[in-house]
Amino acid sequence: MINNSTIASSNGRFYLPDQVAKGLYINGLWQVASSGKTLDVIDPSSESLVARVADASEVDAMAAIEAAAAAATGWANTAPRKRGEILRRCFELMTERADDLAWLISLENGKALSDARGEVAYAAEFFRWNAEEAVRIQGQLLTAPAGTNRIIVDYQPIGICVLITPWNFPAAMATRKIGPALAAGCTVVLKPASETPLTAYALAALYAEAGVPPGVVNVVTTTSPSTVIAKMLADPRVRKLSFTGSTPVGRTLLAEAAKHVISCSMELGGNAPLIVFDDADIDTALDGTMIAKMRNAGQACTAANRIFVQSNIYDQFVEKLQNRMENMIVGPGTSPHTACGPMINAKAREKLVALVENAVSLGAQLKCGGATPNMKGYYYPPTVLADVPLQAKLNNEEIFGPVAAISKFNTEEEVIARANDTEYGLAAYVFTRDVSRGFRVARQLEFGMMGLNRGLVSDPAAPFGGVKQSGLGREGGTHGIYEFLEAKYIATSI
Ligand code: NAD
């Protein structure tokens, strides 16, 4: 095992303070768990132990809530300009340390360094964007329709926020919540995924350096998320739950939050269709498909899960995609040449094996990949399945791995119906040179976001989020900050 204080990036710089070895970050202090328990952080590229961090109990979680409560009034009353300047400093520090942070993400998550660098840049932008939003919270002043009085709408911080994030974007999923929450004047307790806590702790140290006061951001890791989160949600001072993760866990948390009528933002799973019409520029469509499918080795909520290609160009597209997928370099995330890193753990890889076997048993054509390599690390090769039948399980589940599942379609009407035939509604992608068709299809697809001739939709300036069972609310853009604000209406006779 590497001691946390000795984890160094490839350029030899240290980026984790010694105290991180203790884990929990509560009220600006690094603390061991009250039970003394720890949890193991595993490098998915080698299956070896990277570090041990504190494993919080309900007692520790409540200490974090106390700290957030104690800091709440002071932070809410801090001038928006000052809050914005501190957030801007978070952006600058993240940008200065981008290489170190990217390396840390690759180490604990396994994603290729190029993906990790992209994530750090994206994650840091949530601080820059929200530094600007902090001073632009817009209220309203209206004359009542009867003409008898005025209506004032003021926005206030919603209260203490519990934030829960997944392992697949350990930096960005945290900053996408912390940035707007702090800009709105809220204090928070973050519970990062236990697979990837080191990035969250490294960022906590950075926030302190940027001037975020003690108690405003608290971070607790735990292997007992359901009891720890339930305990926090039962505290009446907690007014917001912002969750990013799978749809099944989201449903459970919605039920838990309902007991206390807590405001919820939910960024959940996806089952993105990617549609290539026969008038598309094939190279643009291939570039877009590779990004939409292979970012983070396919472990993204926006990943293209079902690829539909129109019959006239079907064979040509399958052959070219196979060629690109076969040529990807598979290896450890921290190696500079890697294009496709490992899966997060053995369970995630077993799921892929089962989904591919199921599709092939039902008649899908295995064009490349499909065999687990005999080596340490949770690797699965870039895989192409063609002629995937409708009843294959992967049409209804998140693949969450480097498996491109392609099927043929004939008409626009047919492909829209097939694309919408899912309980999910996060992201969709369409490739066509016909602009009016692009907009027509966009309006009919039941998804919160659509890439038109693009394989990437994420942008801090845009509202990210899903419809149907992919979630509630939006993160980013001008919408993001309002998830952490409550409207206060004042009726006045002036
Ligand atoms: P997950 O739902 O298993 O876990 C997410 C977080 O919830 C983790 O911190 C986990 O510890 C915690 N958690 C798990 N069970 C809990 C419980 N009972 N109570 C409270 N917390 C609990 O998801 P994951 O495997 O970490 O991440 C992958 C999933 O996240 C995929 O479904 C993916 O689509 C989704 N995701 C969505 C978005 C989005 O913006 N919509 C972004 C990234 C990932």
Side-chain angles (χ1 to χ4, degrees), residues 27 67-90 127 130-131 134-135 137 155-161 163 177-189 207-208 210-218 481 484-485:
N27 204 21
T73 305
W75 185 247
N77 291 339
T78 299
R81 174 68 73 206
K82 176 76 180 161
R83 294 201 298 261
E85 281 166 355
I86 292 172
L87 291 175
R88 171 80 195 192
R89 189 69 192 130
C90 291
F127 287 126
N130 284 291
V135 292
I137 297 167
Y155 282 94
Q156 296 182 311
I158 195 165
I160 295 171
C161 308
L163 316 176
K177 299 182 189 305
I178 294 172
L182 266 55
C186 297
T187 59
V188 307
V189 178
Y207 307 147
V212 173
V216 171
V217 177
N218 306 278
I481 196 167
F484 295 96
L485 290 164

Side-chain angles (χ1 to χ4, degrees), residues 164-169 173 176 191-195 225-226 229 243-247 249 252-253 267-270 300-301 398 400 426 464 470 475:
I164 307 175
T165 50
W167 50 265
N168 67 337
F169 287 91
M173 296 304 95
R176 206 164 76 177
K191 195 217 78 63
S194 49
E195 294 87 346
S226 62
I229 297 294
F243 171 74
T244 299
S246 62
T247 296
V249 174
T252 306
L253 286 169
E267 295 286 348
L268 307 178
C301 53
E398 287 189 285
F400 238 61
L426 191 61
F464 189 104
S470 285
E475 292 188 328

Side-chain angles (χ1 to χ4, degrees), residues 36 72 151 170 173 175 182 203 237 245 265 286 327 359 408 453 480 483:
I151 293 166
M173 296 304 95
T175 63
L182 266 55
L203 288 175
R237 294 168 295 184
S265 297
L286 285 163
N327 284 313
K408 196 184 286 185
N453 295 318
E483 302 276 328

Side-chain angles (χ1 to χ4, degrees), residues 20-303:
V20 172
K22 292 181 180 167
L24 313 178
Y25 182 70
I26 300 173
N27 204 21
L29 300 170
W30 299 95
Q31 303 181 14
V32 294
S34 52
S35 66
K37 285 190 187 163
T38 57
L39 62 86
D40 293 348
V41 184
I42 304 294
D43 171 3
S45 298
S46 64
E47 301 180 36
S48 58
L49 185 64
V50 175
R52 291 203 157 101
V53 298
D55 185 358
S57 65
E58 295 166 37
V59 174
D60 303 307
M62 291 318 291
I65 294 291
E66 286 302 331
T73 305
W75 185 247
N77 291 339
T78 299
R81 174 68 73 206
K82 176 76 180 161
R83 294 201 298 261
E85 281 166 355
I86 292 172
L87 291 175
R88 171 80 195 192
R89 189 69 192 130
C90 291
F91 161 75
E92 287 164 358
L93 287 176
M94 278 191 78
T95 306
E96 279 168 26
R97 294 178 198 164
D99 284 350
D100 288 355
L101 288 166
W103 196 85
L104 181 61
I105 292 172
S106 291
L107 181 70
E108 64 174 352
N109 167 288
K111 69 175 69 179
L113 264 180
S114 53
D115 282 333
R117 284 198 193 96
E119 180 182 350
V120 175
Y122 176 54
E125 282 298 337
F126 285 103
F127 287 126
R128 176 152 68 173
W129 176 262
N130 284 291
E132 293 155 358
E133 290 297 280
V135 292
R136 314 224 190 289
I137 297 167
Q138 312 257 334
Q140 281 176 308
L141 175 63
L142 306 165
T143 300
T148 48
N149 61 292
R150 301 279 185 142
I151 293 166
I152 298 170
V153 185
D154 186 23
Y155 282 94
Q156 296 182 311
I158 195 165
I160 295 171
C161 308
V162 171
L163 316 176
I164 307 175
T165 50
W167 50 265
N168 67 337
F169 287 91
M173 296 304 95
T175 63
R176 206 164 76 177
K177 299 182 189 305
I178 294 172
L182 266 55
C186 297
T187 59
V188 307
V189 178
L190 169 70
K191 195 217 78 63
S194 49
E195 294 87 346
T196 55
L198 299 178
T199 304
Y201 285 126
L203 288 175
L206 182 147
Y207 307 147
E209 208 181 322
V212 173
V216 171
V217 177
N218 306 278
V219 185
V220 292
T221 34
T222 181
T223 51
S224 316
S226 62
T227 48
V228 162
I229 297 294
K231 181 80 180 170
M232 288 198 276
L233 296 185
D235 188 303
R237 294 168 295 184
V238 172
R239 297 311 316 145
K240 179 81 195 181
L241 170 64
S242 179
F243 171 74
T244 299
S246 62
T247 296
V249 174
R251 284 190 201 109
T252 306
L253 286 169
L254 280 168
E256 195 61 42
K259 290 183 192 164
H260 314 287
V261 193
I262 289 173
S263 164
C264 289
S265 297
M266 293 276 144
E267 295 286 348
L268 307 178
N271 181 1
L274 184 147
I275 303 169
V276 186
F277 286 101
D278 59 11
D279 64 354
D281 180 295
I282 290 274
D283 288 328
T284 303
L286 285 163
D287 291 347
T289 306
M290 289 302 289
I291 295 169
K293 180 70 250 179
M294 293 304 290
R295 199 159 58 109
N296 288 355
Q299 301 172 107
C301 53
T302 49

